[in-house]
Amino acid sequence: TAYDANERVILNIVTNSLWLPGYKGSVAAQYKQGVYAKYQLNSNHFYKTKKLNLFANLSFSPEKKAQAR
């Protein structure tokens, strides 16, 4: 980082370019207990090639409906 006292800041950010092609994914589940039990299921998917990057995030959480008495 260099600073020019007149008027601006100059940033030089260098990142590591580690390129690994292929598939990565994760799965998660969450459960909460209150007055009603709640749960949620999630999955993340990543696919990378030289010319293509794909990302998908899937989530499922059932809706609780009020019951008439």
Side-chain angles (χ1 to χ4, degrees), residues 35-57:
V35 175
Y36 299 104
K38 295 180 182 180
Y39 65 91
Q40 185 174 13
L41 303 172
N42 298 313
S43 68
N44 295 309
H45 306 275
F46 305 91
Y47 182 72
K48 187 176 194 179
T49 65
K50 284 188 176 183
K51 295 184 178 184
L52 179 68
N53 289 327
L54 293 175
F55 168 76
N57 182 1

Side-chain angles (χ1 to χ4, degrees), residues 24-36:
K24 294 180 185 179
S26 66
V27 176
Q30 182 179 25
Y31 178 81
K32 293 181 184 180
Q33 181 65 53
V35 175
Y36 299 104

